[in-house]
Amino acid sequence: MKSHLIFIGAPGSGKGTQASRLVSEKGFKHISTGDLLRTEIAKQSPLGLEVKKVMDEGQLVSDELVIRLLQANIDLAASQYIFDGYPRNIAQAETLDREVLKGSPSLAVYFDMDIAKLVERLTNRRTCKNCGAIYNLITKKPKVMGICDKCGGTELVQRADDKEEVIKSRLQVFQDTVNPVIKYYQDLGRLVRVDAEGSVDEIFNLISSKV
Ligand SMILES: [Zn+2]
């Protein structure tokens, strides 16, 4: 039986790369709640207008709204989905199971990586000041050092939120938040733990073998 996937991983863990490959090579649909919110607002659907009102008022979009957004935009029988960036806590995980997945087979994939390694990856991130293209001095170098492949820009800079101390504290918060979610799926026998330091191909093959 085909499983939907729930991706859990810190920024820099490589989950975005795997999601792209699963979409292009295995036909998965990638669900990011942030994208869904923006699309729904752009559609000006009744739900989108409701979301816009909440956001305009500076409120957080409630779990209940996110769930309705998911219900309105996915067809579990027709497609295989990757849920990315959601759920972020146990309440959301339970609600996703109860209100959206409703017993459809699903696996949580946790991209496990040492925080020190993540810090190293993330502090090597550089952004093109001109076009916003993202590089990594270790894993995704520009073809010519210091020059953007896409626009030829010569300023590849480190963003303020890519500084080491900021990254460390952001990752610690992330880890503390997702640990209970990981345990939730583990206790249900639905967790696949991936060594996020493995190669892109190794990780891709492992995930592919589970779905
Ligand atoms: Zn550029």
Side-chain angles (χ1 to χ4, degrees):
M1 187 110 77
K2 288 185 171 180
S3 286
H4 303 287
L5 296 175
I6 298 154
F7 271 16
I8 305 170
S13 64
K15 76 184 161 87
T17 305
Q18 296 298 331
S20 308
R21 271 190 77 169
L22 288 162
V23 168
S24 63
E25 295 177 36
K26 300 277 173 185
F28 273 85
K29 290 197 174 162
H30 183 232
I31 292 282
S32 135
T33 48
D35 290 347
L36 277 187
L37 288 169
R38 283 185 285 276
T39 308
E40 200 71 25
I41 291 171
K43 277 198 284 190
Q44 301 198 319
S45 66
L47 185 56
L49 294 174
E50 204 176 325
V51 171
K52 184 172 187 303
K53 184 163 174 286
V54 170
M55 289 171 76
D56 285 348
E57 287 167 358
Q59 311 282 328
L60 281 178
V61 178
S62 67
D63 288 347
E64 187 256 335
L65 262 182
V66 172
I67 291 296
R68 280 166 54 204
L69 192 69
L70 289 171
Q71 287 169 335
N73 284 284
I74 66 179
D75 181 351
L76 292 176
S79 302
Q80 244 178 323
Y81 292 93
I82 299 169
F83 296 89
D84 191 356
Y86 190 94
R88 285 188 189 270
N89 57 50
I90 291 194
Q92 290 178 349
E94 287 172 346
T95 312
L96 184 68
D97 275 350
R98 191 178 61 241
E99 305 290 338
V100 178
L101 290 168
K102 297 177 180 170
S104 293
S106 65
L107 290 171
V109 179
Y110 172 48
F111 293 78
D112 194 359
M113 194 164 172
D114 191 62
I115 286 189
K117 287 273 181 193
L118 281 170
V119 170
E120 190 186 302
R121 274 196 192 182
L122 290 169
T123 50
N124 279 289
R125 194 152 73 167
R126 296 292 181 272
T127 305
C128 172
K129 214 171 171 179
N130 182 46
C131 76
I134 294 172
Y135 298 93
N136 189 295
L137 301 183
I138 299 171
T139 57
K140 194 189 168 204
K141 291 183 198 166
K143 290 193 185 80
V144 180
M145 208 54 190
I147 297 181
C148 177
D149 294 348
K150 290 197 178 136
C151 75
T154 53
E155 286 189 88
L156 303 184
V157 297
Q158 189 175 37
R159 298 187 323 188
D161 57 358
D162 284 344
K163 297 277 194 296
E164 185 164 341
E165 282 315 306
V166 180
I167 288 172
K168 260 189 199 157
S169 75
R170 206 170 64 201
L171 288 175
Q172 197 56 56
V173 169
F174 173 83
Q175 198 63 53
D176 294 346
T177 311
V178 299
N179 278 341
V181 179
I182 294 163
K183 185 172 185 305
Y184 171 84
Y185 290 114
Q186 185 158 27
D187 290 347
L188 291 169
R190 286 161 55 200
L191 185 74
V192 177
R193 197 180 284 267
V194 161
D195 177 2
E197 282 178 57
S199 75
V200 171
D201 284 339
E202 278 165 11
I203 297 172
F204 180 75
N205 291 337
L206 172 70
I207 298 173
S208 298
S209 73
K210 305 283 183 184
V211 295

